[in-house]
Amino acid sequence: MNFKEKEGEVLYFDKPLRWTSFAVVNKIRYHISRKLGVKKIKVGHAGTLDPLATGVMIICTGKATKRIEEFQYHTKEYIATLQLGATTPSFDLEKEIDATYPTDHITKEMVEETLKKFVGTIEQVPPAFSACKVDGKRAYDLARKGDEVELKPKILVIDEIELLEYNLPEIKIRVVCSKGTYIRALARDIGQALQSGAHLTGLIRTRVGEVKLEDCMKVEDFETWLDQQEIEVIND
């Protein structure tokens, strides 16, 4: 294929574990700038993934950055691993376990019935450790400083939740949901609904709209891939 400098490209990546979404954008911008011999190029992503999550990340370059909002509204699918019986302040492995709860009363049938309650239009309070803004500041900046963070519930849609594995204290679920859904917050709420606690121990975004994980390239392969492309420069 030709790499169209002026029109921009829409690229699909499998975000590596522990990378921030910002770091992926920076890496891609660096390689494109070097290849094209330009200092400034627009590069943006269509939906943040937490550092501890992996999976589908859509990156737009040049004029294609105008399509970012379009991609953000696409339905997303995740595979999430939850540890029941314990919570963390961040609802994932970023923070240490701060409380433990009983799990003896939990059965597979109970989990399946509880998951059904989350399908449809729901209200969700975003995590304090999130990019939501509170009085113009990022919630995670306030939370990491130890400040109290109060976030308002958001209305969102969960299309599907399926129990893939039941192996207490761990369960694995598949979630299909709308823009703005925090799977970490869903883990918290599932834990509470089971009269226990829960936090996320693994998260893979397997689909954004029609883009699936198998359509994505690894970030470390991008430089080689880019070197093999014909650069198409369109003179205005």
Side-chain angles (χ1 to χ4, degrees), residues 25-192:
V25 168
N26 269 354
K27 181 63 107 178
I28 301 315
R29 184 189 288 115
Y30 167 77
H31 286 308
I32 295 171
S33 297
R34 188 187 58 80
K35 175 78 172 173
L36 300 179
V38 294
K39 283 194 176 164
K40 277 193 174 178
I41 183 161
K42 275 188 180 174
V43 182
H45 66 73
T48 306
L49 266 178
D50 288 334
L52 295 175
T54 63
V56 180
M57 192 166 177
I58 298 177
I59 288 190
C60 300
T61 75
K63 287 183 181 171
T65 51
K66 289 176 182 164
R67 296 185 63 194
I68 282 176
E69 196 172 354
E70 168 200 330
F71 290 119
Q72 282 175 336
Y73 280 94
H74 286 180
T75 299
K76 297 174 179 72
E77 180 186 70
Y78 296 90
I79 303 289
T81 307
L82 281 64
Q83 184 182 330
L84 303 180
T87 55
T88 76
S90 57
F91 315 140
D92 66 3
L93 294 174
E94 184 188 328
K95 295 286 178 185
E96 297 290 317
I97 288 169
D98 61 353
T100 55
Y101 301 85
T103 55
D104 295 349
H105 63 287
I106 298 173
T107 63
K108 186 179 180 184
E109 291 70 32
M110 185 182 174
V111 172
E112 285 175 331
E113 286 306 308
T114 300
L115 292 179
K116 285 177 192 170
K117 294 172 188 169
F118 288 91
V119 177
T121 303
I122 64 165
E123 277 197 355
Q124 184 186 78
V125 177
F129 287 82
S130 69
C132 292
K133 288 200 170 173
V134 182
D135 299 329
K137 293 178 181 169
R138 296 283 183 196
Y140 55 67
D141 288 334
L142 299 168
R144 286 182 182 126
K145 276 193 227 160
D147 294 352
E148 280 292 316
V149 179
E150 273 197 41
L151 293 166
K152 293 185 173 70
K154 292 188 174 181
I155 305 284
L156 46 92
V157 178
I158 307 280
D159 295 309
E160 297 174 50
I161 297 190
E162 178 190 1
L163 181 63
L164 299 177
E165 290 176 25
Y166 173 85
N167 190 14
L168 279 191
E170 200 171 84
I171 62 169
K172 191 175 277 191
I173 60 174
R174 184 179 68 88
V175 182
V176 179
C177 56
S178 67
K179 175 184 188 287
T181 306
Y182 281 94
I183 307 297
R184 286 182 290 136
L186 187 62
R188 168 201 66 200
D189 296 343
I190 289 169
Q192 287 173 355

